[in-house]
Amino acid sequence: MSEAKYFDEMLNADGSVREPYRILGEWLDGQPKQALKQLSQDAETIFRRLGITFAVYGSNESTERLIPFDVIPRVIAAQEWRRLEKGIEQRVKALNMFLWDLYHGQDIIRAGRVPEKLIIQNEAFCPQMMGLNPPKGIYSHIIGVDIVRTGPDDFYVLEDNLRTPSGVSYMLEDREAMMHLVPDLFHKLKVAPVETYPENLRRTMESVAPDNCTGNPNLVVLTPGIYNSAYFEHSFLADQMGATLCEGQDLFVDGGKVYMRTTLGPQRVDVIYRRIDDDYIDPLTFKADSMLGVAGLFDAYRAGNVTLINAPGTGIADDKAVYTYLPQIIEFYLGEKPILKNVPTYNCTSDSERAYVLENLEHLVVKEVHGSGGYGMLVGPASTKKQRTEFSEKIKARPDNYIVQPTLALSTCPTFVSKGIAPRHVDLRPFVLVGDKIRITPGGLTRVALKQGSLVVNSSQGGGTKDTWVLEE
């Protein structure tokens, strides 16, 4: 598929500039290539000074890398964002209602809308959560929704991230860098702010503190430690919202309550934003050999003495096989049609659909049900015959372990590359906070596939990021 067949977010088919990009287009016309190159170098200097890196597991190169940053922002018009915002809010409401139902009456299963086997036999389902009532009935407080665009009015949700979505620190630092690098552009455009996210995160955490919390809730960010790929983000968010960054060894449970070790003695902990996977948060309840969690933490949570953000067991709602049922889930709980569309998805456990998939792998995208970060994935048009043969065998052996989707024509945005400005494919991860209210940060993290023709935007696979500018009215 040629670049011309993709929706260009900046240019109309006749080469004229779309209205949301008009001022940015005029600014770009006045920038020589050397000026943009200098801006890119200045941005890299900023990020190196801040130490914004991510780890690449299984790489032969240095394990710590800077995420490439593109200095040309992505622009989203106010009316486009309003529609996205409504669709995202609808989705996160339905997902939290779905989680409450799964861990209580399971009405949606009894109504035959979602297969029981898909839930009960799913490794992301957490039986220990049955009957547990989290504060305000909220299971997933921090959600990242991955969205792609294929036309002027066509937006699709690729996946929902309800466990421990990452990337918000890049959104915040991208904006800070751009405000430093191109203040003149911000004066010309009214761009919605994103810098309120840490304060909104704090408010969200405080709003779901346990009922027996007295005074200001004590908030902590629980990290696996410095070797985790997102450690920069853990420390950044703790610092930005004035919470304490802790590892499992810094916390202990006594009398059903969680305490933090300090030089002034133990301090009660009320809310934990945990960046540790379910299996590792408590060796007494989950993996017994976990060195990352806190013994007795889950019992303290069940007793209502501490809030975990996000709750254990939320992964069942962002499971890629469950994703295919999201339209039915929204309709079941809200009585509404989805505002944002799902990507059409083939079910490999169906004989007829599996046969079609195996015949057409070169045109399709295959994803592991529990895969993430671009790993365990086949992009058919960019794959080799050997890779397709390997995936064909994998699908035959474990059809329930894969979902398959058509290759979407991801929209492109102008991007500064070595040859100058060129279109590159992008997606968008808006970040949502759910507590006393739903707070959606305008824009989010735009990820860009820097390789020409590539549709894979993940940083672990060579993608970069852009600042996302939502224009205010």
Side-chain angles (χ1 to χ4, degrees):
M1 191 180 284
S2 70
E3 292 290 344
K5 293 184 182 178
Y6 297 104
F7 173 63
D8 190 315
E9 295 192 11
M10 180 171 171
L11 299 177
N12 292 308
D14 62 3
S16 61
V17 176
R18 293 179 63 244
E19 180 56 30
Y21 275 86
R22 181 176 57 80
I23 293 174
L24 177 62
E26 292 169 357
W27 181 84
L28 284 173
D29 286 343
Q31 300 298 312
K33 181 179 176 182
Q34 190 55 41
L36 290 174
K37 187 174 182 181
Q38 186 59 53
L39 280 177
S40 297
Q41 290 171 350
D42 292 345
E44 183 172 330
T45 300
I46 290 171
F47 293 137
R48 285 199 184 281
R49 189 176 70 242
L50 291 169
I52 304 177
T53 60
F54 71 101
V56 183
Y57 300 125
S59 169
N60 294 325
E61 304 170 35
S62 168
T63 54
E64 291 289 329
R65 291 187 198 162
L66 278 181
I67 288 192
F69 173 68
D70 179 50
V71 294
I72 302 176
R74 181 190 198 173
V75 180
I76 297 175
Q79 68 270 24
E80 293 171 345
W81 177 248
R82 276 199 305 273
R83 183 179 157 219
L84 283 175
E85 203 170 32
K86 285 179 184 172
I88 293 165
E89 184 166 339
Q90 178 194 59
R91 206 165 174 102
V92 300
K93 278 182 184 174
L95 285 165
N96 267 301
M97 293 171 80
F98 176 56
L99 285 163
W100 174 275
D101 186 23
L102 290 187
Y103 291 117
H104 288 83
Q106 300 187 340
D107 293 339
I108 197 166
I109 295 174
R110 291 192 285 112
R113 298 292 186 92
V114 173
E116 182 178 27
K117 179 183 176 183
L118 179 64
I119 304 300
I120 305 305
Q121 296 182 16
N122 196 308
E123 66 183 54
F125 182 72
C126 182
Q128 294 90 338
M129 286 293 292
M130 287 299 296
L132 194 153
N133 301 327
K136 290 187 168 59
I138 300 164
Y139 287 79
S140 196
H141 314 79
I142 302 168
I143 300 171
V145 183
D146 291 348
I147 295 173
V148 295
R149 186 175 193 176
T150 60
D153 301 308
D154 298 312
F155 295 91
Y156 290 87
V157 175
L158 268 186
E159 62 183 55
D160 307 283
N161 299 276
L162 284 87
R163 307 180 203 205
T164 53
S166 63
V168 77
S169 60
Y170 302 121
M171 174 191 79
L172 294 167
E173 293 292 16
D174 285 357
R175 174 59 53 85
E176 191 168 332
M178 287 298 286
M179 291 180 80
H180 174 77
L181 293 168
V182 288
D184 55 320
L185 255 185
F186 282 94
H187 291 146
K188 294 175 182 176
L189 288 162
K190 195 172 181 184
V191 181
V194 300
E195 55 269 21
T196 54
Y197 180 88
E199 178 58 30
N200 286 335
L201 175 57
R202 182 178 187 86
R203 286 178 184 161
T204 298
M205 291 178 69
E206 289 175 341
S207 75
V208 293
D211 292 337
N212 60 15
C213 170
T214 56
N216 293 326
N218 191 12
L219 315 178
V220 305
V221 177
L222 179 59
T223 176
I226 60 172
Y227 297 109
N228 183 267
S229 63
Y231 180 75
F232 168 82
E233 181 159 297
H234 307 166
S235 58
F236 174 85
L237 288 174
D239 179 62
Q240 290 287 305
M241 66 175 172
T244 306
L245 183 67
C246 292
E247 295 184 28
Q249 61 196 9
D250 301 320
L251 305 176
F252 67 95
V253 176
D254 185 29
K257 296 181 176 66
V258 182
Y259 295 89
M260 173 172 55
R261 294 182 172 89
T262 78
T263 53
L264 300 174
Q267 279 187 14
R268 170 90 184 268
V269 172
D270 300 297
V271 185
I272 299 174
Y273 175 16
R274 50 105 183 184
R275 296 294 296 256
I276 293 176
D277 292 343
D278 288 2
D279 285 346
Y280 299 95
I281 60 174
D282 182 350
L284 298 184
T285 302
F286 301 105
K287 283 179 75 81
D289 60 350
S290 171
M291 304 291 287
L292 302 174
V294 183
L297 176 59
F298 190 77
D299 285 344
Y301 176 58
R302 275 201 79 94
N305 292 326
V306 70
T307 300
L308 294 179
I309 291 178
N310 289 337
T314 54
I316 187 64
D318 70 14
D319 178 87
K320 288 183 176 67
V322 172
Y323 160 92
T324 61
Y325 292 89
L326 247 293
Q328 295 97 303
I329 289 169
I330 290 170
E331 201 161 343
F332 185 79
Y333 296 109
L334 299 177
E336 301 168 357
K337 294 289 184 185
I339 296 169
L340 295 175
K341 293 178 280 193
N342 259 28
V343 180
T345 303
Y346 298 99
N347 178 0
C348 289
T349 60
S350 158
D351 291 343
S352 59
E353 292 189 30
R354 185 171 65 254
Y356 174 82
V357 163
L358 295 174
E359 282 290 318
N360 293 277
L361 277 179
E362 68 269 26
H363 306 301
L364 302 170
V365 175
V366 183
K367 299 176 183 177
E368 276 187 19
V369 167
H370 299 292
S372 64
Y375 296 102
M377 178 176 169
L378 176 83
V379 180
S383 65
T384 63
K385 188 173 181 181
K386 181 184 177 187
Q387 289 169 331
R388 292 194 294 274
T389 301
E390 287 173 1
F391 267 82
S392 178
E393 294 305 316
K394 288 178 180 179
I395 291 169
K396 289 175 187 173
R398 283 284 312 276
D400 60 322
N401 196 42
Y402 296 91
I403 64 164
V404 181
Q405 297 169 332
T407 306
L408 287 185
L410 270 63
S411 62
T412 64
C413 284
T415 303
F416 184 65
V417 294
S418 57
K419 294 179 181 176
I421 299 173
R424 291 291 185 267
H425 298 288
V426 292
D427 79 351
L428 178 66
R429 175 175 289 182
F431 293 94
V432 191
L433 299 170
V434 187
D436 54 331
K437 60 191 284 192
I438 294 174
R439 298 176 172 94
I440 305 174
T441 305
L445 180 68
T446 287
R447 299 182 299 179
V448 54
L450 294 171
K451 296 174 186 171
Q452 185 173 359
S454 173
L455 296 168
V456 182
V457 298
N458 306 76
S459 54
S460 54
Q461 309 296 313
T465 67
K466 283 174 169 285
D467 194 10
T468 310
W469 291 11
V470 171
L471 302 183
E472 294 185 318
E473 294 288 10

